[in-house]
mmCIF file of all heavy atoms in Angstrom:
data_model
loop_
_atom_site.group_PDB
_atom_site.id
_atom_site.type_symbol
_atom_site.label_atom_id
_atom_site.label_comp_id
_atom_site.label_asym_id
_atom_site.label_seq_id
_atom_site.Cartn_x
_atom_site.Cartn_y
_atom_site.Cartn_z
ATOM 1 N N ALA A 64 116.022 101.339 36.618
ATOM 2 C CA ALA A 64 115.841 102.755 36.932
ATOM 3 C C ALA A 64 117.177 103.467 37.045
ATOM 4 O O ALA A 64 117.297 104.621 36.677
ATOM 5 C CB ALA A 64 115.057 102.905 38.226
ATOM 6 N N ALA A 65 118.184 102.797 37.558
ATOM 7 C CA ALA A 65 119.485 103.430 37.735
ATOM 8 C C ALA A 65 120.064 103.883 36.403
ATOM 9 O O ALA A 65 120.770 104.874 36.336
ATOM 10 C CB ALA A 65 120.453 102.475 38.427
ATOM 11 N N SER A 66 119.759 103.165 35.311
ATOM 12 C CA SER A 66 120.323 103.559 34.032
ATOM 13 C C SER A 66 119.606 104.767 33.457
ATOM 14 O O SER A 66 120.101 105.393 32.545
ATOM 15 C CB SER A 66 120.266 102.397 33.038
ATOM 16 O OG SER A 66 118.920 102.148 32.673
ATOM 17 N N ARG A 67 118.412 105.098 33.972
ATOM 18 C CA ARG A 67 117.681 106.246 33.470
ATOM 19 C C ARG A 67 117.743 107.418 34.429
ATOM 20 O O ARG A 67 117.300 108.496 34.104
ATOM 21 C CB ARG A 67 116.221 105.873 33.234
ATOM 22 C CG ARG A 67 116.080 105.001 32.008
ATOM 23 C CD ARG A 67 114.640 104.760 31.754
ATOM 24 N NE ARG A 67 114.434 103.328 31.939
ATOM 25 C CZ ARG A 67 113.298 102.770 32.174
ATOM 26 N NH1 ARG A 67 112.224 103.475 32.274
ATOM 27 N NH2 ARG A 67 113.195 101.477 32.318
ATOM 28 N N THR A 68 118.264 107.220 35.595
ATOM 29 C CA THR A 68 118.372 108.283 36.579
ATOM 30 C C THR A 68 119.753 108.905 36.444
ATOM 31 O O THR A 68 120.752 108.198 36.459
ATOM 32 C CB THR A 68 118.183 107.717 38.002
ATOM 33 O OG1 THR A 68 116.919 107.060 38.054
ATOM 34 C CG2 THR A 68 118.230 108.823 39.024
ATOM 35 N N PRO A 69 119.828 110.220 36.287
ATOM 36 C CA PRO A 69 121.129 110.853 36.139
ATOM 37 C C PRO A 69 122.016 110.591 37.350
ATOM 38 O O PRO A 69 121.542 110.509 38.476
ATOM 39 C CB PRO A 69 120.783 112.346 36.038
ATOM 40 C CG PRO A 69 119.347 112.385 35.629
ATOM 41 C CD PRO A 69 118.728 111.140 36.191
ATOM 42 N N SER A 70 123.298 110.452 37.098
ATOM 43 C CA SER A 70 124.250 110.228 38.179
ATOM 44 C C SER A 70 125.506 111.035 37.914
ATOM 45 O O SER A 70 125.633 111.686 36.889
ATOM 46 C CB SER A 70 124.608 108.738 38.253
ATOM 47 O OG SER A 70 125.346 108.354 37.116
ATOM 48 N N ALA A 71 126.426 110.957 38.842
ATOM 49 C CA ALA A 71 127.685 111.685 38.689
ATOM 50 C C ALA A 71 128.455 111.181 37.481
ATOM 51 O O ALA A 71 129.204 111.912 36.862
ATOM 52 C CB ALA A 71 128.523 111.549 39.958
ATOM 53 N N GLN A 72 128.283 109.913 37.124
ATOM 54 C CA GLN A 72 129.007 109.339 36.000
ATOM 55 C C GLN A 72 128.303 109.625 34.675
ATOM 56 O O GLN A 72 128.891 109.521 33.624
ATOM 57 C CB GLN A 72 129.134 107.829 36.171
ATOM 58 C CG GLN A 72 129.940 107.440 37.378
ATOM 59 C CD GLN A 72 129.874 105.949 37.641
ATOM 60 O OE1 GLN A 72 129.029 105.248 37.106
ATOM 61 N NE2 GLN A 72 130.771 105.468 38.470
ATOM 62 N N SER A 73 127.033 109.977 34.713
ATOM 63 C CA SER A 73 126.248 110.210 33.511
ATOM 64 C C SER A 73 126.534 111.591 32.953
ATOM 65 O O SER A 73 126.776 112.536 33.680
ATOM 66 C CB SER A 73 124.757 110.090 33.851
ATOM 67 O OG SER A 73 123.973 110.447 32.747
ATOM 68 N N SER A 74 126.469 111.701 31.631
ATOM 69 C CA SER A 74 126.653 113.001 31.010
ATOM 70 C C SER A 74 125.328 113.744 30.914
ATOM 71 O O SER A 74 125.294 114.904 30.536
ATOM 72 C CB SER A 74 127.264 112.832 29.616
ATOM 73 O OG SER A 74 126.376 112.090 28.796
ATOM 74 N N GLU A 75 124.216 113.077 31.252
ATOM 75 C CA GLU A 75 122.907 113.724 31.208
ATOM 76 C C GLU A 75 122.736 114.620 32.427
ATOM 77 O O GLU A 75 122.960 114.202 33.550
ATOM 78 C CB GLU A 75 121.792 112.681 31.219
ATOM 79 C CG GLU A 75 121.678 111.881 29.948
ATOM 80 C CD GLU A 75 120.485 110.941 29.998
ATOM 81 O OE1 GLU A 75 119.403 111.390 30.400
ATOM 82 O OE2 GLU A 75 120.670 109.777 29.650
ATOM 83 N N PRO A 76 122.300 115.850 32.203
ATOM 84 C CA PRO A 76 122.047 116.719 33.353
ATOM 85 C C PRO A 76 120.759 116.292 34.048
ATOM 86 O O PRO A 76 119.885 115.702 33.446
ATOM 87 C CB PRO A 76 121.892 118.099 32.720
ATOM 88 C CG PRO A 76 121.437 117.829 31.324
ATOM 89 C CD PRO A 76 122.078 116.517 30.938
ATOM 90 N N VAL A 77 120.660 116.602 35.325
ATOM 91 C CA VAL A 77 119.447 116.320 36.082
ATOM 92 C C VAL A 77 118.364 117.267 35.566
ATOM 93 O O VAL A 77 118.625 118.433 35.304
ATOM 94 C CB VAL A 77 119.695 116.536 37.589
ATOM 95 C CG1 VAL A 77 118.408 116.370 38.377
ATOM 96 C CG2 VAL A 77 120.748 115.563 38.092
ATOM 97 N N SER A 78 117.149 116.761 35.423
ATOM 98 C CA SER A 78 116.038 117.588 34.967
ATOM 99 C C SER A 78 115.774 118.711 35.948
ATOM 100 O O SER A 78 115.978 118.571 37.148
ATOM 101 C CB SER A 78 114.760 116.756 34.862
ATOM 102 O OG SER A 78 114.896 115.738 33.929
ATOM 103 N N LEU A 79 115.272 119.803 35.431
ATOM 104 C CA LEU A 79 114.793 120.860 36.300
ATOM 105 C C LEU A 79 113.501 120.379 36.940
ATOM 106 O O LEU A 79 112.795 119.543 36.381
ATOM 107 C CB LEU A 79 114.519 122.123 35.498
ATOM 108 C CG LEU A 79 115.714 122.775 34.818
ATOM 109 C CD1 LEU A 79 115.256 123.919 33.917
ATOM 110 C CD2 LEU A 79 116.689 123.291 35.869
ATOM 111 N N VAL A 80 113.170 120.888 38.095
ATOM 112 C CA VAL A 80 111.966 120.467 38.793
ATOM 113 C C VAL A 80 110.742 120.672 37.906
ATOM 114 O O VAL A 80 109.877 119.805 37.815
ATOM 115 C CB VAL A 80 111.818 121.197 40.144
ATOM 116 C CG1 VAL A 80 110.465 120.924 40.771
ATOM 117 C CG2 VAL A 80 112.926 120.780 41.093
ATOM 118 N N ARG A 81 110.671 121.803 37.202
ATOM 119 C CA ARG A 81 109.488 122.055 36.364
ATOM 120 C C ARG A 81 109.366 121.028 35.243
ATOM 121 O O ARG A 81 108.269 120.606 34.905
ATOM 122 C CB ARG A 81 109.504 123.476 35.814
ATOM 123 C CG ARG A 81 110.532 123.700 34.733
ATOM 124 C CD ARG A 81 110.254 124.981 33.934
ATOM 125 N NE ARG A 81 111.141 124.993 32.816
ATOM 126 C CZ ARG A 81 112.249 125.718 32.751
ATOM 127 N NH1 ARG A 81 112.572 126.517 33.732
ATOM 128 N NH2 ARG A 81 113.026 125.642 31.706
ATOM 129 N N ASP A 82 110.503 120.614 34.656
ATOM 130 C CA ASP A 82 110.458 119.619 33.582
ATOM 131 C C ASP A 82 110.069 118.252 34.122
ATOM 132 O O ASP A 82 109.300 117.517 33.508
ATOM 133 C CB ASP A 82 111.811 119.542 32.875
ATOM 134 C CG ASP A 82 112.176 120.845 32.173
ATOM 135 O OD1 ASP A 82 111.260 121.643 31.868
ATOM 136 O OD2 ASP A 82 113.376 121.071 31.936
ATOM 137 N N ALA A 83 110.622 117.906 35.275
ATOM 138 C CA ALA A 83 110.285 116.627 35.892
ATOM 139 C C ALA A 83 108.811 116.605 36.302
ATOM 140 O O ALA A 83 108.121 115.598 36.137
ATOM 141 C CB ALA A 83 111.185 116.364 37.101
ATOM 142 N N PHE A 84 108.317 117.725 36.806
ATOM 143 C CA PHE A 84 106.910 117.798 37.206
ATOM 144 C C PHE A 84 106.003 117.690 35.976
ATOM 145 O O PHE A 84 104.955 117.032 36.034
ATOM 146 C CB PHE A 84 106.648 119.089 37.979
ATOM 147 C CG PHE A 84 105.239 119.198 38.507
ATOM 148 C CD1 PHE A 84 104.646 118.146 39.183
ATOM 149 C CD2 PHE A 84 104.517 120.367 38.355
ATOM 150 C CE1 PHE A 84 103.349 118.247 39.683
ATOM 151 C CE2 PHE A 84 103.228 120.485 38.851
ATOM 152 C CZ PHE A 84 102.638 119.422 39.514
ATOM 153 N N ALA A 85 106.399 118.281 34.879
ATOM 154 C CA ALA A 85 105.610 118.159 33.646
ATOM 155 C C ALA A 85 105.543 116.704 33.202
ATOM 156 O O ALA A 85 104.487 116.223 32.764
ATOM 157 C CB ALA A 85 106.211 119.028 32.542
ATOM 158 N N GLY A 86 106.650 115.979 33.323
ATOM 159 C CA GLY A 86 106.654 114.557 32.980
ATOM 160 C C GLY A 86 105.739 113.757 33.893
ATOM 161 O O GLY A 86 105.027 112.848 33.451
ATOM 162 N N LEU A 87 105.755 114.091 35.163
ATOM 163 C CA LEU A 87 104.880 113.408 36.120
ATOM 164 C C LEU A 87 103.412 113.717 35.819
ATOM 165 O O LEU A 87 102.562 112.819 35.812
ATOM 166 C CB LEU A 87 105.236 113.825 37.546
ATOM 167 C CG LEU A 87 104.523 113.078 38.660
ATOM 168 C CD1 LEU A 87 104.943 111.612 38.675
ATOM 169 C CD2 LEU A 87 104.822 113.712 40.010
ATOM 170 N N GLN A 88 103.115 114.976 35.534
ATOM 171 C CA GLN A 88 101.742 115.353 35.209
ATOM 172 C C GLN A 88 101.246 114.686 33.928
ATOM 173 O O GLN A 88 100.056 114.434 33.791
ATOM 174 C CB GLN A 88 101.615 116.869 35.073
ATOM 175 C CG GLN A 88 101.631 117.599 36.398
ATOM 176 C CD GLN A 88 101.337 119.063 36.218
ATOM 177 O OE1 GLN A 88 102.020 119.753 35.474
ATOM 178 N NE2 GLN A 88 100.324 119.535 36.902
ATOM 179 N N ALA A 89 102.149 114.386 33.025
ATOM 180 C CA ALA A 89 101.757 113.737 31.769
ATOM 181 C C ALA A 89 101.193 112.337 32.005
ATOM 182 O O ALA A 89 100.537 111.785 31.129
ATOM 183 C CB ALA A 89 102.942 113.680 30.811
ATOM 184 N N THR A 90 101.424 111.782 33.174
ATOM 185 C CA THR A 90 100.886 110.446 33.486
ATOM 186 C C THR A 90 99.487 110.508 34.087
ATOM 187 O O THR A 90 98.851 109.467 34.267
ATOM 188 C CB THR A 90 101.805 109.691 34.473
ATOM 189 O OG1 THR A 90 101.756 110.324 35.756
ATOM 190 C CG2 THR A 90 103.235 109.616 33.969
#
Side-chain angles (χ1 to χ4, degrees):
S66 70
R67 287 185 245 160
T68 303
S70 68
Q72 297 171 345
S73 174
S74 62
E75 290 184 46
V77 175
S78 298
L79 296 173
V80 171
R81 72 163 189 258
D82 296 338
F84 184 48
L87 187 66
Q88 285 187 303
T90 69

